[in-house]
Amino acid sequence: MEDDFNIEGIDVTKLDEAGKKLYAQLEGQFKGAYTKKTQALSEKQKEWEAEKATLAQEAATYKAEIDGFNGWWNSMTPQQQAYYKTLSPGQQDDILEGQGLVRPEVSAKDYESVAKEMQGLREWGADQFGKYDKRVASLESSMPLFMDLVDFRFKHPDADWKRVMKRAQTDNLRNFDLAYQLEYGDELKEKQVNEEVTRRLSEETEKKSAEKNLPEFTPGKSIFSPETAAPAAKSWSDASARFTEAAASTKAP
């Protein structure tokens, strides 16, 4: 009967080890609760059926006693019946005992008592089994809803699930994600805005930091340090000689 359950909505392969462990525990608890309820119902039904069978057997015995007396009575002649009626109860019992019979009024009283007890047992069974059936049905119907809640808690571990559950009940919702959006809507928007502001501030800070590390350059000012900058040529011929020397130094050997 446990195999009747299929927990949907959760992809176990995507859970971490802690999630898989929790999932297995929840699955086991629900299947155990369901099995316990159905087993209790089954045991109660067995007890009820056994007691009902016992009472039915007793009723059959008393009915057979009544039928046995009636058959014997109808087999007698009118004279024998009239004679029987003139006898004392003790004398009648002796005759009946000799025939293996029981006084019919005693059997009828016992039969009536058993019939009344059987009726009470039927009424008790209808009440008790009706309650058990409702409990089991309630458990079965609540399981998908509960597992949806478990799925939601995996997806939104920081959310207050009781708060979301209350919102779902208030708005008569079965979709916990929708209840979450409705309940946390303003907070989620505020969170998104704060995250966007933080992101932009971080980008601005990084940009300013990068600009500080760039070498300073202004028109008419060399970006080379004094140690690396070549001295200015004294004349055109000096500049030409330096250019020739630089060109010669770059030639392949």
Side-chain angles (χ1 to χ4, degrees), residues 124 142 210:
W124 176 88
S142 65

Side-chain angles (χ1 to χ4, degrees), residues 42-57:
S42 178
E43 291 299 322
K44 285 291 183 182
Q45 285 179 325
K46 287 180 181 179
E47 293 174 6
W48 181 70
E49 291 290 348
E51 187 172 356
K52 191 171 65 170
T54 299
L55 290 175
Q57 182 61 46

Side-chain angles (χ1 to χ4, degrees), residues 27-47:
E27 183 183 22
Q29 288 174 5
F30 249 95
K31 288 183 176 179
Y34 179 81
T35 301
K36 185 177 180 180
K37 290 293 184 183
T38 52
Q39 284 180 344
L41 176 60
S42 178
E43 291 299 322
K44 285 291 183 182
Q45 285 179 325
K46 287 180 181 179
E47 293 174 6

